[in-house]
C-alpha cells in the first residue's frame, strides 16, 4: 500500500525537475513574462520578463504522479482523490486565465474581480457539493457536514452551511498562498513543508482507521476518513512536484508559479484539510499563509480607519525587504516560521490521538 506514496512522490519530483525547464523555454519563446508592479520593492524590477504560469508544471506533474502510481500498483483511484485533484485543477484554471490576461492583454490586475470570484465560486461549490456524495461501505463521504480540528467534532452544520464554510476556506487559503507568492521560492518551499505534514497525517489516519478498529487498542482512537491513504498519495505527489519546481523557482528564480500555481496550491491544501477532517488544523500548519494574509487585512484596515500604515508595505514579506533584509534572508526565515507551524500542527494532531488512547 505504501508503495503508492513512494511512487507518487518520486514521479512528481522527477517530472517537475525535467519538465519545468522545458516549460521555461516554451514560455520564454512566447514572451509570457512576469509583469512587475511599479509600486513594489525596487529590487524586483530585475524580475520583469521572467516566465510565469509555472504552476502548470506542478499541477500536471501531480496529476500524472497520482494516476501513474495507481497504474504501477494496480490500485484504483478513489472519489476523495479525484475530487481533491479536481479542486486543484479547477482553481489552477482560474489562475491561468488571470495570468494569461495579465501577460497577453497587458492588464496588470488580470481577470476582473467579479469574473475571478465567479470562477472560484463555481469551482468551490462544485467541490463542496460533490464531496458530500459517494458514500463508502461505512457510510463515509469524502467530506463531513461536521466541523473538524483533529477529527470531526460538535454538531452537524448541514449541507448548505457546509458549502458556505468550504467556500470560505477555499477562498481564504487560495488567496493566502497567492499573497505569499511574492518572493522567489517562498510559497513553493512553504507548501512543501505542509504537504509533507499531510503525507504523514494521511498515513497515520490510514493505519488508525476505524475500518480497522477491531485490531486497534481502542475503538475510540480511530479516524472516520473515507480515503486517508489516497490523500497521503496526493500529498506526496504534491510534495515531490513542488520540491522539483523549487529547484527552478528558488532565488534567482528562472520561473514563477503565478496565480496558476498559487490558487491551485491553496485549493488543494483546503481539499486535503476538508477530506482528512482537519479543517481548523490547516490554519495552524499553514500558519505562514494566515500570517501574511492577516498583514494585508491589518494594513488595509488601519489605512482606511486612521489613514496610517502599520507596515512599510504589505504583504508582510515586502515590509522586511524595505527594512533592509535581503530576499533570501526573508525567504529562509519565513520557511523557518512555516516549519515551526507545521511542527506545532503535527504535535496537536498527535496529542489529539494520544488523548483518546
Amino acid at each position: 500500500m505504501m508503495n503508492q506514496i513512494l511512487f507518487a512522490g518520486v514521479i512528481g519530483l522527477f517530472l517537475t525537475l525535467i519538465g519545468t525547464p522545458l516549460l521555461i523555454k516554451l514560455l520564454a519563446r512566447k514572451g509570457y513574462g512576469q509583469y512587475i508592479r511599479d509600486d513594489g520593492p525596487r529590487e524586483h524590477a530585475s524580475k520583469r520578463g521572467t516566465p510565469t504560469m509555472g504552476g502548470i508544471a506542478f499541477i500536471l506533474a501531480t496529476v500524472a504522479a497520482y494516476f501513474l502510481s495507481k497504474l504501477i500498483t494496480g490500485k484504483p483511484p478513489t472519489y476523495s482523490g479525484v475530487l481533491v485533484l479536481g479542486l486543484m485543477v479547477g482553481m489552477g484554471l482560474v489562475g491561468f486565465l488571470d495570468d494569461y490576461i495579465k501577460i497577453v492583454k497587458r492588464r496588470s490586475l488580470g481577470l476582473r474581480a467579479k469574473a475571478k470570484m465567479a470562477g472560484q465560486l463555481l469551482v468551490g461549490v462544485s467541490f463542496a457539493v460533490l464531496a458530500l456524495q459517494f458514500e463508502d461501505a461505512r457510510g463515509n463521504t469524502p467530506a463531513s457536514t461536521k466541523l473538524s480540528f483533529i477529527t470531526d467534532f460538535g454538531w452537524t452544520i448541514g449541507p448548505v452551511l457546509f458549502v458556505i464554510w468550504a467556500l470560505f476556506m477555499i477562498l481564504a487559503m487560495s488567496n493566502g498562498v497567492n499573497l505569499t507568492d511574492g518572493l522567489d521560492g517562498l510559497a513553493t518551499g512553504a507548501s512543501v513543508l505542509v504537504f509533507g505534514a499531510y503525507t504523514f497525517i494521511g498515513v497515520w489516519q490510514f493505519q488508525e482507521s476505524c475500518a480497522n478498529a477491531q485490531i486497534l487498542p481502542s475503538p475510540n482512537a480511530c479516524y472516520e476518513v473515507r480515503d486517508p491513504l489516497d490523500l497521503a498519495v496526493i500529498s506526496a505527489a504534491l510534495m515531490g512536484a513542488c520540491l522539483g519546481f523549487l529547484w527552478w523557482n528558488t532565488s534567482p528564480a528562472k520561473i514563477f508559479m503565478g496565480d496558476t500555481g498559487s490558487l491551485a496550491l491553496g485549493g488543494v491544501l483546503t481539499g486535503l484539510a476538508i477530506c482528512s477532517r482537519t479543517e481548523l488544523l490547516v490554519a495552524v500548519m499553514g500558519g505562514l499563509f494566515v500570517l501574511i494574509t492577516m498583514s494585508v487585512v491589518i494594513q488595509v484596515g488601519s489605512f482606511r480607519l486612521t489613514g496610517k500604515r502599520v507596515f512599510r508595505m504589505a504583504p508582510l514579506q515586502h515590509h522586511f525587504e524595505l527594512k533592509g533584509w535581503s530576499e533570501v534572508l526573508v525567504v529562509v526565515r519565513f520557511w523557518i516560521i512555516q516549519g515551526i507551524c507545521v511542527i506545532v500542527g503535527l504535535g496537536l494532531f498527535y496529542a489529539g490521538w494520544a488523548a483518546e488512547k
Side-chain angles (χ1 to χ4, degrees), residues 37-345:
R37 292 170 53 186
D38 294 329
D39 58 348
R42 285 175 297 178
E43 293 80 3
H44 289 199
S46 61
K47 300 181 181 183
R48 183 174 283 110
T50 301
T52 188
M53 297 192 290
I56 294 172
F58 57 73
I59 291 173
L60 293 179
T62 300
V63 174
Y66 174 78
F67 285 105
L68 284 174
S69 69
K70 294 295 180 181
L71 183 64
I72 293 170
T73 59
K75 304 296 181 181
T78 66
Y79 288 112
S80 297
V82 172
L83 283 173
V84 171
L85 289 177
L87 178 59
M88 177 185 69
V89 173
M91 295 297 290
L93 284 174
V94 175
F96 174 81
L97 291 175
D98 192 42
D99 286 334
Y100 185 81
I101 291 173
K102 287 177 186 176
I103 296 166
V104 177
K105 303 297 183 182
R106 301 295 177 184
R107 196 166 76 206
S108 62
L109 296 179
L111 275 174
R112 304 291 184 190
K114 290 183 178 179
K116 190 173 183 179
M117 179 62 72
Q120 290 176 305
L121 289 176
L122 177 62
V123 174
V125 169
S126 299
F127 168 80
V129 171
L130 290 173
L132 295 178
Q133 314 303 318
F134 314 114
E135 289 187 357
D136 63 7
R138 296 180 59 84
N140 291 322
T141 55
S144 168
T145 55
K146 290 184 177 181
L147 297 178
S148 60
F149 181 55
I150 308 300
T151 57
D152 287 342
F153 69 87
W155 57 90
T156 299
I157 61 175
V160 175
L161 286 179
F162 167 77
V163 170
I164 295 173
W165 169 241
L167 277 175
F168 169 77
M169 287 187 62
I170 292 168
L171 293 174
M173 190 57 71
S174 60
N175 286 292
V177 178
N178 183 251
L179 291 170
T180 304
D181 182 37
L183 301 182
D184 295 355
L186 178 56
T188 311
S191 297
V192 168
L193 295 172
V194 184
F195 292 134
Y198 267 104
T199 303
F200 171 82
I201 287 175
V203 171
W204 190 275
Q205 289 179 333
F206 172 72
Q207 292 176 338
E208 306 292 333
S209 172
C210 290
N212 303 321
Q214 65 274 12
I215 62 173
L216 295 176
S218 170
N220 296 322
C222 62
Y223 299 94
E224 285 287 6
V225 177
R226 191 190 191 287
D227 305 297
L229 185 62
D230 234 34
L231 298 180
V233 172
I234 291 175
S235 300
L238 283 160
M239 180 174 62
C242 286
L243 197 58
F245 182 75
L246 183 60
W247 182 270
W248 305 102
N249 181 233
T250 195
S251 183
K254 303 298 182 185
I255 188 170
F256 301 135
M257 70 169 68
D259 282 15
T260 306
S262 60
L263 294 187
L265 289 180
V268 74
L269 181 55
T270 306
L272 289 170
I274 290 173
C275 291
S276 65
R277 312 291 202 269
T278 56
E279 295 163 1
L280 299 180
L281 184 64
V282 74
V284 178
M285 293 201 298
L288 180 65
F289 306 135
V290 176
L291 178 65
I292 287 176
T293 301
M294 289 307 300
S295 73
V296 175
V297 173
I298 292 170
Q299 183 86 325
V300 173
S302 176
F303 187 76
R304 288 183 177 178
L305 291 174
T306 67
K308 297 180 180 180
R309 293 179 172 86
V310 176
F311 307 105
R312 294 188 180 186
M313 185 177 181
L316 187 61
Q317 62 268 34
H318 299 316
H319 167 78
F320 288 102
E321 278 192 292
L322 294 180
K323 281 177 65 69
W325 291 19
S326 70
E327 180 175 4
V328 173
L329 180 62
V330 175
V331 170
V332 172
R333 286 183 172 172
F334 275 38
W335 281 351
I336 292 171
I337 292 172
Q338 181 71 318
I340 294 171
C341 292
V342 166
I343 292 170
V344 171

